[in-house]
């Protein structure tokens, strides 16, 4: 089985607690099959982020960022992990970096808005 055949199956384990270990196993298998396949590392990070295993999730996202430097998704997910731990300044820096890489992604702007709200830096008109 190829890593790109395993990655789409990662999402099926996030809905129920007993399925999360299956997502972890699939992510590990995909990264073991091809250690340079960046989507597998993003899936690896997402599998651990769903279990609130921040260190393991960051490992996956940082590896994907190194393997796929032109993609904004690893940077965006790193920012999301920092936001989950209430490190809003760090999260904002990563979201701004993701915005620089891909200024057309609405998810980046959504996350910047959430950070602004938490930092009480929101302008209402």
């Amino acid at each position: 089985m190829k890593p790109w055949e395993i990655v789409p199956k990662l999402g099926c384990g996030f809905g129920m607690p007993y399925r999360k270990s299956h997502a972890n196993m699939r992510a590990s298998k995909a990264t073991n099959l091809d250690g340079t396949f960046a989507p597998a590392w993003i899936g690896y990070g997402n599998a651990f982020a769903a279990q609130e295993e921040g260190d393991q999730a960051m490992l996956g996202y940082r590896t994907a960022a190194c393997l796929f430097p032109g993609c904004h998704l690893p940077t965006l997910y790193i920012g999301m992990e920092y936001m989950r731990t209430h490190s809003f300044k760090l999260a904002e820096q990563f979201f701004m970096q993701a915005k620089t890489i891909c200024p057309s992604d609405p998810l980046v702007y959504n996350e910047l808005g959430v950070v602004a709200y938490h930092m009480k830096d929101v302008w209402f008109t």
Side-chain angles (χ1 to χ4, degrees):
M1 188 174 278
K2 305 285 189 237
W4 52 86
E5 295 171 341
I6 296 172
V7 172
K9 298 177 183 178
L10 291 174
C12 68
F14 294 145
M16 301 192 170
Y18 66 91
R19 298 282 223 134
K20 290 179 183 175
S21 63
H22 294 283
N24 288 349
M25 288 187 323
R26 288 186 181 127
S28 294
K29 184 175 183 179
T31 56
N32 286 336
L33 285 174
D34 184 1
T36 62
F37 189 60
W41 285 104
I42 291 174
Y44 180 89
N46 288 344
F48 282 103
Q51 295 181 13
E52 297 186 7
E53 300 262 345
D55 293 337
Q56 290 295 103
M58 290 294 265
L59 171 71
Y61 299 143
R62 289 183 192 278
T63 304
C66 290
L67 293 174
F68 206 36
C71 182
H72 73 290
L73 292 176
T75 309
L76 178 66
Y77 288 134
I78 290 170
M80 288 176 163
E81 272 303 303
Y82 278 125
M83 200 158 67
R84 189 180 63 78
T85 61
H86 304 287
S87 301
F88 299 120
K89 280 292 191 188
L90 279 171
E92 183 180 34
Q93 289 174 1
F94 279 95
F95 293 146
M96 292 303 289
Q97 186 178 355
K99 180 182 162 191
T100 302
I101 297 169
C102 183
S104 62
D105 187 357
L107 183 58
V108 174
Y109 292 98
N110 179 69
E111 296 302 321
L112 281 169
V114 172
V115 165
Y117 174 79
H118 283 293
M119 292 174 47
K120 312 244 185 293
D121 190 22
V122 180
W123 294 81
F124 293 103
T125 57

